[in-house]
Amino acid sequence: MSGVPILVEGAALRVLVVGGGAVAVRKAAAFVAAGASVRIVALEPSPAMRELARATGVALVERAYERGDIGDALLVIAATNDRTTNAAVAGDARAAARLVNVADAPDEGSFATMATHRAGALVVGVTAGGVPGAAARVRDAIARRFDERYAGALSALATLRRSLLDRGATAEWRALAADVIDDEFIDTDESGTLDARVSAWR
Protein backbone atom coordinates (compact mmCIF):
# COMPACT_ATOMS: atom_id res chain seq x y z
CA MET A 1 0.00 0.00 0.00
CA SER A 2 1.25 3.48 -0.87
CA GLY A 3 0.11 5.10 2.35
CA VAL A 4 -0.06 8.74 3.41
CA PRO A 5 0.06 9.05 7.22
CA ILE A 6 -2.20 11.77 8.67
CA LEU A 7 -3.46 12.57 12.16
CA VAL A 8 -7.22 13.18 12.18
CA GLU A 9 -9.08 14.95 14.98
CA GLY A 10 -11.12 12.19 16.60
CA ALA A 11 -14.03 14.42 17.56
CA ALA A 12 -14.61 15.18 13.87
CA LEU A 13 -15.18 11.52 12.97
CA ARG A 14 -18.31 9.43 12.62
CA VAL A 15 -17.32 5.77 12.60
CA LEU A 16 -19.22 2.57 11.85
CA VAL A 17 -17.76 -0.66 13.22
CA VAL A 18 -19.24 -3.87 11.87
CA GLY A 19 -18.35 -6.85 14.02
CA GLY A 20 -18.40 -7.89 17.65
CA GLY A 21 -15.19 -9.81 18.27
CA ALA A 22 -11.80 -8.91 19.69
CA VAL A 23 -10.59 -6.98 16.63
CA ALA A 24 -13.79 -4.97 16.42
CA VAL A 25 -13.63 -4.20 20.14
CA ARG A 26 -10.03 -2.99 19.88
CA LYS A 27 -10.73 -0.74 16.91
CA ALA A 28 -13.99 0.62 18.35
CA ALA A 29 -12.33 1.35 21.69
CA ALA A 30 -9.51 3.26 19.99
CA PHE A 31 -11.94 5.52 18.16
CA VAL A 32 -14.06 6.03 21.27
CA ALA A 33 -10.93 7.02 23.21
CA ALA A 34 -10.11 9.55 20.48
CA GLY A 35 -13.53 11.20 20.91
CA ALA A 36 -15.15 9.89 17.72
CA SER A 37 -18.86 9.23 17.36
CA VAL A 38 -19.01 5.44 17.03
CA ARG A 39 -21.82 3.09 16.00
CA ILE A 40 -21.45 -0.70 16.18
CA VAL A 41 -23.41 -3.32 14.30
CA ALA A 42 -22.78 -6.88 15.44
CA LEU A 43 -24.80 -10.03 14.93
CA GLU A 44 -23.23 -11.71 17.96
CA PRO A 45 -21.36 -9.13 20.07
CA SER A 46 -18.85 -10.52 22.52
CA PRO A 47 -19.16 -9.77 26.26
CA ALA A 48 -16.27 -7.32 25.79
CA MET A 49 -18.17 -5.47 23.07
CA ARG A 50 -21.29 -5.30 25.21
CA GLU A 51 -19.21 -3.97 28.09
CA LEU A 52 -17.62 -1.33 25.85
CA ALA A 53 -21.07 -0.17 24.75
CA ARG A 54 -22.35 -0.17 28.33
CA ALA A 55 -19.36 1.72 29.71
CA THR A 56 -19.15 4.35 26.97
CA GLY A 57 -22.72 4.74 25.80
CA VAL A 58 -21.79 3.80 22.24
CA ALA A 59 -24.73 2.65 20.12
CA LEU A 60 -24.67 -1.14 19.68
CA VAL A 61 -27.14 -2.71 17.25
CA GLU A 62 -27.36 -6.48 17.63
CA ARG A 63 -28.24 -7.81 14.18
CA ALA A 64 -26.67 -8.63 10.84
CA TYR A 65 -25.17 -5.82 8.77
CA GLU A 66 -27.43 -4.02 6.30
CA ARG A 67 -26.34 -1.69 3.50
CA GLY A 68 -28.10 1.30 5.05
CA ASP A 69 -25.90 1.00 8.14
CA ILE A 70 -23.19 3.01 6.38
CA GLY A 71 -25.37 6.09 6.96
CA ASP A 72 -23.29 9.20 7.59
CA ALA A 73 -20.17 7.35 8.71
CA LEU A 74 -16.95 8.87 7.41
CA LEU A 75 -14.89 5.80 8.37
CA VAL A 76 -16.10 2.22 8.19
CA ILE A 77 -14.51 -0.79 9.89
CA ALA A 78 -15.34 -4.27 8.53
CA ALA A 79 -14.27 -6.65 11.31
CA THR A 80 -16.65 -9.58 11.41
CA ASN A 81 -15.54 -13.22 11.30
CA ASP A 82 -17.40 -13.68 8.01
CA ARG A 83 -15.55 -13.04 4.73
CA THR A 84 -18.74 -12.45 2.73
CA THR A 85 -20.01 -9.86 5.19
CA ASN A 86 -16.70 -8.02 5.31
CA ALA A 87 -16.54 -7.93 1.51
CA ALA A 88 -20.10 -6.54 1.38
CA VAL A 89 -19.28 -3.83 3.94
CA ALA A 90 -16.17 -2.88 1.98
CA GLY A 91 -18.07 -2.72 -1.30
CA ASP A 92 -20.86 -0.61 0.16
CA ALA A 93 -18.36 1.78 1.78
CA ARG A 94 -16.44 2.24 -1.47
CA ALA A 95 -19.69 2.81 -3.38
CA ALA A 96 -20.59 5.53 -0.86
CA ALA A 97 -17.12 7.10 -1.18
CA ARG A 98 -16.24 6.36 2.45
CA LEU A 99 -12.91 5.23 3.81
CA VAL A 100 -12.97 1.59 4.88
CA ASN A 101 -10.69 -0.69 6.87
CA VAL A 102 -11.12 -4.43 6.26
CA ALA A 103 -9.67 -6.52 9.07
CA ASP A 104 -9.32 -9.82 7.21
CA ALA A 105 -8.35 -8.40 3.80
CA PRO A 106 -6.39 -5.14 4.12
CA ASP A 107 -6.00 -4.83 0.35
CA GLU A 108 -9.76 -4.36 0.04
CA GLY A 109 -9.63 -1.33 2.31
CA SER A 110 -8.60 2.28 1.79
CA PHE A 111 -7.03 2.99 5.18
CA ALA A 112 -5.17 1.19 7.93
CA THR A 113 -5.15 1.83 11.65
CA MET A 114 -1.74 2.06 13.31
CA ALA A 115 -0.13 0.80 16.48
CA THR A 116 0.03 4.08 18.40
CA HIS A 117 2.22 5.47 21.16
CA ARG A 118 1.22 8.67 22.96
CA ALA A 119 3.23 10.75 25.39
CA GLY A 120 1.37 14.00 25.87
CA ALA A 121 1.31 15.80 22.55
CA LEU A 122 3.75 13.32 21.03
CA VAL A 123 1.93 10.79 18.87
CA VAL A 124 3.77 8.07 16.97
CA GLY A 125 1.93 5.67 14.65
CA VAL A 126 3.46 2.48 13.25
CA THR A 127 2.20 0.26 10.46
CA ALA A 128 3.99 -2.84 9.22
CA GLY A 129 2.42 -3.99 5.98
CA GLY A 130 -0.56 -5.76 7.49
CA VAL A 131 1.38 -7.48 10.30
CA PRO A 132 -0.08 -5.86 13.44
CA GLY A 133 2.07 -7.88 15.85
CA ALA A 134 5.24 -6.51 14.25
CA ALA A 135 3.85 -2.98 14.32
CA ALA A 136 3.10 -3.35 18.03
CA ARG A 137 6.65 -4.54 18.76
CA VAL A 138 8.15 -1.54 16.93
CA ARG A 139 5.68 0.78 18.70
CA ASP A 140 6.69 -0.61 22.08
CA ALA A 141 10.38 -0.13 21.32
CA ILE A 142 9.71 3.51 20.39
CA ALA A 143 7.64 4.00 23.54
CA ARG A 144 10.45 2.80 25.78
CA ARG A 145 12.66 5.64 24.57
CA PHE A 146 10.20 8.41 23.80
CA ASP A 147 8.49 8.45 27.16
CA GLU A 148 6.94 11.06 29.45
CA ARG A 149 10.09 13.19 29.30
CA TYR A 150 8.98 14.18 25.81
CA ALA A 151 5.45 14.97 26.98
CA GLY A 152 6.87 17.58 29.37
CA ALA A 153 9.32 19.00 26.84
CA LEU A 154 6.71 19.37 24.12
CA SER A 155 4.21 20.91 26.52
CA ALA A 156 6.76 23.54 27.57
CA LEU A 157 7.70 24.29 23.97
CA ALA A 158 4.08 24.50 22.82
CA THR A 159 3.22 26.92 25.64
CA LEU A 160 6.20 29.09 24.89
CA ARG A 161 5.52 29.04 21.15
CA ARG A 162 1.90 30.09 21.66
CA SER A 163 2.93 32.88 24.04
CA LEU A 164 5.49 34.29 21.62
CA LEU A 165 3.25 34.06 18.56
CA ASP A 166 0.31 35.62 20.41
CA ARG A 167 2.37 38.71 21.10
CA GLY A 168 3.73 38.86 17.56
CA ALA A 169 7.23 37.64 18.38
CA THR A 170 7.48 35.33 15.37
CA ALA A 171 11.16 36.05 14.78
CA GLU A 172 11.94 35.26 18.42
CA TRP A 173 10.14 31.92 18.17
CA ARG A 174 12.06 31.03 15.01
CA ALA A 175 15.33 31.85 16.73
CA LEU A 176 14.35 29.79 19.79
CA ALA A 177 13.33 26.84 17.63
CA ALA A 178 16.60 26.96 15.70
CA ASP A 179 18.54 27.06 18.98
CA VAL A 180 16.60 24.51 21.02
CA ILE A 181 15.12 22.09 18.46
CA ASP A 182 18.47 21.37 16.87
CA ASP A 183 20.47 18.20 16.17
CA GLU A 184 20.98 17.77 19.93
CA PHE A 185 17.29 18.06 20.85
CA ILE A 186 16.88 14.35 21.63
CA ASP A 187 20.08 14.20 23.68
CA THR A 188 19.31 17.34 25.68
CA ASP A 189 15.82 16.14 26.52
CA GLU A 190 17.01 12.71 27.61
CA SER A 191 19.89 14.15 29.64
CA GLY A 192 17.56 16.53 31.48
CA THR A 193 19.21 19.71 30.19
CA LEU A 194 16.48 20.78 27.77
CA ASP A 195 14.54 22.70 30.45
CA ALA A 196 17.53 24.96 31.05
CA ARG A 197 17.87 25.70 27.34
CA VAL A 198 14.16 26.53 27.06
CA SER A 199 14.18 28.60 30.27
CA ALA A 200 16.88 30.84 28.83
CA TRP A 201 14.30 32.08 26.30
CA ARG A 202 11.49 32.75 28.77
Side-chain angles (χ1 to χ4, degrees):
M1 179 182 289
S2 179
V4 179
I6 61 172
L7 183 65
V8 180
E9 175 57 49
L13 296 177
R14 295 182 298 279
V15 181
L16 170 67
V17 177
V18 182
V23 173
V25 170
R26 175 169 52 83
K27 290 178 182 283
F31 282 108
V32 169
S37 173
V38 178
R39 291 182 291 117
I40 302 162
V41 175
L43 181 59
E44 296 180 352
S46 65
M49 184 63 90
R50 287 197 175 96
E51 175 57 23
L52 176 67
R54 186 202 65 76
T56 65
V58 167
L60 170 60
V61 180
E62 298 189 35
R63 58 163 170 74
Y65 166 76
E66 299 173 0
R67 177 172 296 178
D69 290 330
I70 297 289
D72 63 354
L74 298 173
L75 300 182
V76 178
I77 307 291
T80 75
N81 61 1
D82 182 76
R83 175 86 282 271
T84 301
T85 299
N86 288 347
V89 173
D92 292 343
R94 288 193 301 270
R98 311 299 165 79
L99 294 175
V100 61
N101 174 264
V102 186
D104 66 342
D107 289 347
E108 290 184 11
S110 51
F111 81 95
T113 55
M114 297 186 183
T116 305
H117 164 59
R118 297 176 185 271
L122 177 66
V123 181
V124 179
V126 179
T127 184
V131 186
R137 291 291 188 183
V138 174
R139 182 268 321 277
D140 292 346
I142 291 169
R144 283 192 290 273
R145 178 168 186 182
F146 295 92
D147 54 21
E148 291 305 315
R149 293 171 296 182
Y150 287 87
L154 293 175
S155 177
L157 284 170
T159 299
L160 188 52
R161 177 181 182 272
R162 187 73 270 153
S163 174
L164 291 171
L165 295 183
D166 283 349
R167 64 175 195 253
T170 303
E172 187 176 350
W173 164 250
R174 288 176 179 164
L176 181 157
D179 178 48
V180 175
I181 313 173
D182 58 5
D183 292 342
E184 298 177 0
F185 174 70
I186 301 297
D187 292 335
T188 55
D189 189 33
E190 294 182 0
S191 68
T193 59
L194 183 63
D195 283 348
R197 294 184 69 185
V198 173
S199 294
W201 286 88
R202 289 195 173 99

